[in-house]
Amino acid sequence: MAAGMHVGAWITCFPADGRVRGLENSNARGRVIDIVVRTRNVGGRSQNPPMKILTATAAGQGARDNDFDWTIEGELVWIGLVCATDRRNPDGGCGCGRSFSGLSSHRATTTAQVRDLPLTRDDVTKALAGYCEAAGYGVVEPIELAEEVDELLRVVSEWDVGTIVERRLDRLQPRCLR
C-alpha cells in the first residue's frame, strides 16, 4: 500500500452496493442531468471486471476532531478545489482542503473508501463529465477529464480494496484509524 501519494483528480458517484444504475445530479438552476452507466450481464456476470475507485464513506469518521460526512454512502467522490481559507492548512475553517466532494449529492466528506466496482475508465469519465455540467462547470474538454480520471485511477490502484483514505490538501493518504 502506498502512503501519501500526490494527486489532483476528479471522481464520480455510485451506490455502496456496487450495482450500477442511473444517477441524477442537479445544478443550481434546477436542471437535472441523468448519468446512466450500464454494464452488460452475460450469464449473471458483468463483462466489466471490477475497477478500484474512491467512494464516499462514513467509515473512519471521528479519527480527526474536524471530520464530517454529508455525502451518500458509496457515491463516487471528486477531489475538489481548495479555497483561500484552506489553501495552506487542510484544517482551515472551510473544510475544502480536507474533504472529498460527492458527485451525486454535491456534498462533502472527510473520508473515502477504495471499492471495486464494475466500471470502465470510459464509464467514470462520462459520469464525471455529467457531474461537471450539472455542477455548473460547463463542458470540460474530454482530454482534461480523461487525464484527471487516469491520475486518480493510478493512485487508487496502489491501495487495497477497503482502505479508508483521507485528503490533506493535494495529498491522499490511507487514514490511520484509532
Side-chain angles (χ1 to χ4, degrees):
M1 186 179 331
M5 300 190 74
H6 175 81
V7 68
W10 309 65
I11 320 171
T12 306
C13 51
F14 291 91
D17 62 14
R19 292 187 318 217
V20 180
R21 55 182 165 252
L23 303 170
E24 292 182 351
N25 287 319
S26 62
N27 64 18
R29 291 180 287 285
R31 193 166 49 107
V32 174
I33 296 174
D34 290 330
I35 301 172
V36 179
V37 179
R38 295 182 176 91
T39 58
R40 227 176 105 173
N41 284 326
V42 176
R45 293 184 303 173
S46 171
Q47 287 187 319
N48 294 335
M51 169 194 280
K52 287 183 188 178
I53 194 77
L54 281 180
T55 62
T57 188
Q61 289 286 308
R64 293 187 183 269
D65 292 338
N66 57 3
D67 276 339
F68 53 85
D69 177 36
W70 298 305
T71 56
I72 299 167
E73 184 73 25
E75 70 178 300
L76 296 183
V77 293
W78 168 54
I79 295 99
L81 303 173
V82 178
C83 72
T85 301
D86 281 12
R87 88 172 145 232
R88 290 190 181 96
N89 179 4
D91 297 313
C94 174
C96 63
R98 64 183 177 273
S99 65
F100 301 92
S101 299
L103 298 189
S104 181
S105 66
H106 295 253
R107 295 179 180 256
T109 183
T110 52
T111 53
Q113 183 174 20
V114 177
R115 290 191 170 106
D116 260 345
L117 296 177
L119 301 173
T120 66
R121 174 186 172 273
D122 192 48
D123 292 337
V124 175
T125 303
K126 286 177 184 175
L128 175 58
Y131 166 79
C132 290
E133 188 176 340
Y137 292 108
V139 176
V140 179
E141 291 297 318
I143 188 110
E144 184 179 342
L145 292 171
E147 288 170 359
E148 296 291 339
V149 169
D150 288 345
E151 177 65 9
L152 179 70
L153 294 176
R154 184 192 62 75
V155 171
V156 172
S157 73
E158 301 290 324
W159 293 317
D160 294 330
V161 171
T163 300
I164 305 301
V165 178
E166 68 180 4
R167 177 184 180 191
R168 308 300 289 165
L169 298 175
D170 65 347
R171 291 181 66 83
L172 299 182
Q173 60 196 28
R175 176 163 275 200
C176 295
L177 302 177
R178 296 177 191 174

